[in-house]
């Protein structure tokens, strides 16, 4: 049996594993920085190079981390309630706030339900990934099958932005890989001495490649939102090869980032990483009015661009602070128990065994029936 990688304890624990929190803050900060500069990226070649160089460390890394802390056991009533309370309802609440904010900025009011705005697609996909994982792990060759689905969905017009269908299926292999990492896969990579210089070399090499050839990387290759288009010499028939190469690169770079990230507790970084979910959820609500009022568009010089990127990092740090997390808790962990009917009496015995189940999870996280965990990047 594979020995599981270190995992942060559950939401009720007094301690967390700093390795995952350190990685989480890096990814969250890069996401905020990219969304801060996104509206002016087309004007500056260096910003586009930065986008390509850091792409794998943003959304793909978040997908892998989400898989690490997901359970593949049967979805009981407690797990389904957790999905609704911690993922679905916060996503809908933030979608409503987004609509109200756009309305206040002068746009017609539009309520987004089936197609959540901006970054909220990730939460909708996360909801479906957590539902699909217990089924995926029952397959004979789960990584092969999910990869085939990921590559094939680009040929189907029906899968697009609605219900985040395209991204959900395209990123499903990365979510599964994250789950396997949580079960102890590739432990030698994370603990061997030889892998550290290889990981550093891989990140540096990708940085050089991104700087030299970023202009050749098309946005639809990494957006994963739409069907394939014949935009290369491979034509439409070979578009799946591009997606395969992009996903494989994302996985490799995510593993490199995890390898080079310190496992010890870092001042501020580890604590801020514990608020990764809050950072991801709230930063669009801060950036949107700043962008719509034209303040970001004014940045033009190198010094101004660096200042703008630094402002993105500072915003991520602010939103990840314990103070903001407490203020945002009604949004990120809404009190919605009143929505649910009381659980049947026959579930009392099962519910009373939660403490024992948690102990069993810690003892053997590699067991396929390990219970579902709370999202640990929030």
């Amino acid at each position: 049996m594979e020995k599981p990688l270190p995992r942060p304890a559950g939401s009720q624990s007094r301690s967390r594993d700093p390795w995952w929190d350190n990685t989480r803050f890096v990814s969250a900060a890069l996401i905020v920085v990219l969304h801060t500069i996104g509206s002016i990226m087309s004007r500056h070649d260096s910003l586009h190079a930065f986008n390509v160089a850091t792409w794998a460390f943003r959304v793909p890394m978040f997908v892998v981390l989400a898989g690490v802390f997901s359970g593949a056991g049967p979805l009981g009533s407690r797990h389904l309630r957790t999905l609704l309370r911690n993922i679905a309802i916060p996503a809908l609440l933030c979608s409503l706030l987004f609509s109200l904010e756009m309305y206040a900025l002068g746009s017609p009011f539009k309520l987004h339900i089936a197609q959540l705005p901006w970054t909220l697609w990730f939460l909708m996909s996360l909801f479906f990934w957590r539902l699909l994982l217990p089924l995926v792990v029952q397959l004979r060759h789960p990584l092969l099958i999910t990869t085939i689905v990921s590559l094939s969905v680009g040929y189907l017009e029906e899968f697009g932005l609605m219900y985040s269908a395209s991204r959900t299926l395209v990123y499903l292999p990365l979510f599964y890989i994250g789950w396997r990492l949580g079960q102890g896969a590739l432990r030698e990579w994370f603990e061997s001495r030889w892998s550290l210089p290889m990981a550093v070399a891989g990140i540096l090499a990708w940085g050089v490649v991104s700087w030299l050839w970023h202009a050749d990387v098309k946005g639809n290759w990494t957006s994963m939102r739409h069907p394939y288009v014949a935009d290369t010499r491979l034509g439409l028939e070979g578009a799946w090869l591009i997606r395969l190469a992009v996903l494989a690169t994302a996985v490799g770079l995510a593993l490199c980032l995890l390898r080079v990230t310190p496992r010890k507790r870092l001042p501020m970084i580890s604590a801020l990483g514990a608020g990764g979910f809050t950072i991801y959820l709230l930063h669009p609500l801060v950036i949107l009015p700043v962008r719509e009022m034209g303040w970001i568009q004014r940045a033009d010089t190198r010094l101004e661009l660096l200042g703008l990127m630094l402002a993105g990092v500072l915003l991520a740090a602010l939103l990840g602070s314990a103070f903001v997390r407490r203020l945002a808790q009604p949004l990120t962990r809404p009190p919605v128990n009143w929505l649910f009917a009381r659980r049947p009496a026959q579930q009392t015995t099962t519910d009373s065994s939660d403490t024992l189940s948690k102990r069993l999870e810690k003892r053997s996280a590699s067991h396929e029936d390990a219970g579902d965990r709370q999202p640990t990047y929030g």
Side-chain angles (χ1 to χ4, degrees), residues 151-221:
L151 303 179
S152 301
V153 72
Y155 291 105
L156 303 176
E157 294 284 346
E158 295 82 359
F159 290 88
L161 295 174
M162 196 69 67
Y163 296 107
S164 192
S166 178
R167 282 163 161 164
T168 298
L169 294 178
V170 171
Y171 283 121
L172 186 57
L174 273 67
F175 187 78
Y176 172 76
I177 288 173
W179 178 79
R180 290 288 295 124
L181 293 180
Q183 307 309 302
L186 299 181
R187 190 177 185 87
E188 183 180 358
W189 165 259
F190 295 115
E191 296 184 344
S192 299
R193 292 184 178 181
W194 57 265
S195 62
L196 181 57
M198 289 187 63
V200 173
I203 292 175
L204 292 177
W206 178 247
V208 173
V209 169
S210 301
W211 179 257
L212 294 177
W213 290 289
H214 64 88
D216 297 325
V217 178
K218 297 175 173 56
N220 61 294
W221 291 2

Side-chain angles (χ1 to χ4, degrees), residues 78-316:
R78 178 174 61 87
H79 304 141
L80 293 174
R81 290 177 187 225
T82 298
L83 288 179
L84 289 174
R85 183 181 64 246
N86 294 352
I87 299 177
I89 294 178
L92 293 176
L93 290 176
C94 281
S95 178
L96 176 60
L97 289 177
F98 183 93
S99 299
L100 292 173
E101 196 170 59
M102 288 297 295
Y103 179 74
L105 292 170
S107 298
F109 181 80
K110 181 180 179 181
L111 190 60
H112 303 271
I113 300 294
Q115 184 178 323
L116 298 184
W118 208 352
T119 64
L120 295 178
W121 70 265
F122 185 89
L123 276 80
M124 181 171 284
S125 289
L126 178 59
F127 181 83
F128 290 117
W129 289 327
R130 300 282 290 269
L131 290 177
L132 288 172
L133 184 60
L135 172 63
V136 169
V137 300
Q138 299 300 320
L139 300 174
R140 185 178 295 274
H141 302 290
L143 182 58
L144 175 61
I145 293 176
T146 55
T147 301
I148 291 174
V149 171
S150 173
L151 303 179
S152 301
V153 72
Y155 291 105
L156 303 176
E157 294 284 346
E158 295 82 359
F159 290 88
L161 295 174
M162 196 69 67
Y163 296 107
S164 192
S166 178
R167 282 163 161 164
T168 298
L169 294 178
V170 171
Y171 283 121
L172 186 57
L174 273 67
F175 187 78
Y176 172 76
I177 288 173
W179 178 79
R180 290 288 295 124
L181 293 180
Q183 307 309 302
L186 299 181
R187 190 177 185 87
E188 183 180 358
W189 165 259
F190 295 115
E191 296 184 344
S192 299
R193 292 184 178 181
W194 57 265
S195 62
L196 181 57
M198 289 187 63
V200 173
I203 292 175
L204 292 177
W206 178 247
V208 173
V209 169
S210 301
W211 179 257
L212 294 177
W213 290 289
H214 64 88
D216 297 325
V217 178
K218 297 175 173 56
N220 61 294
W221 291 2
T222 57
S223 68
M224 310 301 180
R225 293 180 295 180
H226 303 292
Y228 295 137
V229 293
D231 55 356
T232 68
R233 294 181 180 179
L234 297 175
L236 197 60
E237 297 79 6
W240 65 274
L241 290 171
I242 300 294
R243 175 165 291 178
L244 178 62
V246 170
L247 292 177
T249 301
V251 172
L253 290 172
L255 293 176
C256 288
L257 178 61
L258 282 170
R259 182 62 185 90
V260 302
T261 301
R263 295 196 178 196
K264 64 181 181 180
R265 185 169 184 82
L266 301 177
M268 293 187 63
I269 300 299
S270 301
L272 295 173
F277 183 68
T278 305
I279 296 172
Y280 190 91
L281 205 60
L282 296 185
H283 80 271
L285 300 176
V286 179
I287 295 175
L288 179 63
V290 177
R291 186 189 70 181
E292 293 300 311
M293 288 186 286
W295 294 352
I296 294 177
Q297 294 291 334
R298 298 175 185 176
D300 192 54
T301 66
R302 289 184 178 179
L303 184 60
E304 290 171 341
L305 294 178
L306 287 175
L308 192 61
M309 297 173 73
L310 177 60
V313 176
L314 294 177
L315 176 60

